[in-house]
Amino acid sequence: MKQFRNNIIRAGLEALYFTGAHHLLRPVFAGVGGIFMLHHVRPRRDSAFQPNHHLEITPDFLRATLTHLRASGIEIVTVDEMYQRLMQRDFSRRFACFTFDDGYRDNRDFALPVMREFDAPFTVYVASDFAAGTGRLWWVALEMVVAKAQTIEAEIGGVAVRLDASTVDAKQAAFDRLHDWMRALPGEHDIRREVSALCARHGVDENALCRDLCMSWDELKPFADDPLVTIGAHTITHCNLAKQAEAVATHEMAVSRARIEAELQRPVVHLAYPYGDRIAAGTREFALAQAAGFKTAVTTRPGMIFPGSAGHLTALPRVSLNGNYQDQRILPVLTSGAATAMWNGFRRIDAA
């Protein structure tokens, strides 16, 4: 089902490009700028089974994106600069912000050198447990479990199931079913319990994943000193805030910020909601982020930035640089706002 959805999205992007519709829609839906959302930047992996491939792009595609923006006269700015322009209603030149979620080491090793080539600033949103080496990258652990297994046994919705994982297609189907089940569980402790059980059963060391993939505090300190880098908060545990009690959600935001500020000795005034979709961040979370003192907070809802976004600074949409669509032809479609406009039913602001 997810592969079918990916094919539909790809077809839609290509249709916008080949028909030239993005040129017609640009004046109305390009807005004043856009916030690009990334996770991993690293060389392409060879494995046939990569269910989290949408979360990574290659350094070459990042370079192509930056080249396109510069050729289009779009200024690459910090999140602080974007905030100032929205507050001052300075829309004389279109802008782009680059944001990276989670704090992966490849942001330093592969993204930073490319960003330096273009003198392009960017923001990395750090989950403080990831930096401490105690976080749980459960979606990565799940990928490793399914990659190793031939069959997977689990109890989904109170029913014992046995999932085939003997082929690449079977693995993808098993991963999709398990992933959707995990996202629907009541709380993060439920996800941790189930993933830990699967890891123990299939010999995956989930405790090592965070240390292997994410920058530690000691690595983040020199990284954050780079003049191109801004550090934002991404909660403590990377939990679904909308599923938490209000006090817990507030704690996740505020304590994450406080820990990062204490470790890195710099103010943290920007937030990214974990998962960031409608079932993870809504009007309550937007208000909590504002009350916690964040200047901006970004979602994973697709969309461009418009003058009206100044009234919704803790509900900002982003444009995903998705690893499944690393085609330079889609870049003018993405920056035109045509794709996100169609996704949003041609609404400019989606902050409800």
Side-chain angles (χ1 to χ4, degrees), residues 5-23 25 36 61 302 319-343:
R5 178 173 174 269
N6 288 339
N7 290 339
I8 293 295
I9 293 173
R10 183 186 302 279
L13 292 169
E14 290 181 348
L16 287 169
Y17 174 78
F18 284 114
T19 62
H22 62 292
H23 293 300
L25 294 171
F36 286 103
F61 188 65
V319 178
S320 174
L321 285 183
N322 188 305
N324 291 326
Y325 315 116
Q326 296 185 71
D327 185 338
Q328 293 185 35
R329 292 178 303 181
I330 74 165
L331 293 173
V333 175
L334 293 180
T335 55
S336 74
T340 53
M342 293 185 68
W343 184 274

Side-chain angles (χ1 to χ4, degrees), residues 21-350:
H22 62 292
H23 293 300
L24 298 175
L25 294 171
R26 179 184 291 115
V28 180
F29 292 107
V32 296
I35 306 172
F36 286 103
M37 174 178 66
L38 304 90
H39 291 79
H40 293 281
V41 175
R42 58 192 181 190
R44 190 180 301 276
R45 295 179 291 157
D46 294 331
S47 172
F49 174 63
Q50 296 186 44
N52 290 308
H53 181 62
H54 63 290
L55 297 177
E56 61 184 84
I57 64 169
T58 65
D60 282 344
F61 188 65
L62 176 58
R63 187 175 289 108
T65 303
L66 291 161
T67 298
H68 167 73
L69 293 171
R70 285 281 161 80
S72 302
I74 298 173
E75 189 173 6
I76 303 167
V77 303
T78 65
V79 177
D80 284 309
E81 175 66 18
M82 176 195 69
Y83 170 80
Q84 291 298 329
R85 291 188 185 193
L86 286 170
M87 295 300 293
Q88 297 169 6
R89 300 191 64 79
D90 175 9
F91 308 130
S92 58
R93 187 176 180 188
R94 290 191 66 216
F95 63 80
C97 291
F98 279 78
T99 61
F100 296 72
D101 290 6
D102 300 337
Y104 296 111
R105 189 172 289 110
D106 56 59
N107 295 174
R108 179 198 67 189
D109 295 345
F110 295 105
L112 178 57
V114 176
M115 302 303 278
R116 281 175 174 163
E117 289 177 25
F118 292 82
D119 193 29
F122 61 104
T123 296
V124 174
Y125 297 106
V126 173
S128 56
D129 272 3
F130 292 176
T134 59
R136 291 293 184 271
L137 301 168
W138 67 264
W139 54 96
V140 180
L142 183 61
E143 176 178 342
M144 295 183 68
V145 165
V146 178
K148 292 185 67 172
Q150 293 296 302
T151 60
I152 300 171
E153 295 180 356
E155 188 173 299
I156 300 177
V159 177
V161 299
R162 185 180 178 88
L163 303 175
D164 178 27
S166 60
T167 67
V168 172
D169 288 344
K171 287 181 184 297
Q172 185 65 59
F175 178 91
D176 290 344
R177 185 169 182 188
L178 291 166
H179 185 277
D180 290 347
W181 168 52
M182 300 287 180
R183 281 295 310 270
L185 288 172
E188 295 301 307
H189 63 284
D190 299 296
I191 297 176
R192 289 193 176 197
R193 180 189 66 244
E194 299 298 340
V195 171
S196 293
L198 287 171
C199 286
R201 196 175 305 142
H202 294 277
V204 171
D205 183 2
E206 64 172 330
N207 296 319
L209 293 178
C210 190
R211 297 189 298 272
D212 290 345
L213 293 174
C214 295
M215 286 182 279
S216 67
W217 290 125
D218 286 343
E219 291 172 302
L220 280 166
K221 289 171 185 176
F223 176 73
D225 285 337
D226 191 288
L228 293 177
V229 174
T230 297
I231 301 295
H234 201 34
T235 74
I236 303 169
T237 63
H238 196 282
C239 64
N240 182 327
L241 291 171
K243 290 187 176 182
Q244 312 304 314
E246 183 171 315
V248 175
T250 298
H251 177 82
E252 283 276 346
M253 295 183 193
V255 173
S256 172
R257 176 183 182 180
R259 288 180 182 174
I260 298 169
E261 290 180 336
E263 290 285 350
L264 303 185
Q265 293 297 296
R266 65 190 62 244
V268 174
V269 294
H270 304 287
L271 172 76
Y273 304 105
Y275 310 110
D277 54 18
R278 287 182 171 275
I279 62 173
T283 52
R284 187 196 71 163
E285 290 67 49
F286 303 156
L288 291 177
Q290 184 176 21
F294 289 103
K295 288 183 178 179
T296 71
V298 293
T299 69
T300 61
R301 298 186 188 191
M304 307 300 288
I305 303 301
F306 295 90
S309 299
H312 306 279
L313 290 170
T314 56
L316 297 175
R318 290 189 283 179
V319 178
S320 174
L321 285 183
N322 188 305
N324 291 326
Y325 315 116
Q326 296 185 71
D327 185 338
Q328 293 185 35
R329 292 178 303 181
I330 74 165
L331 293 173
V333 175
L334 293 180
T335 55
S336 74
T340 53
M342 293 185 68
W343 184 274
N344 290 324
F346 296 98
R347 289 173 298 168
R348 292 187 175 193
I349 305 291
D350 177 21

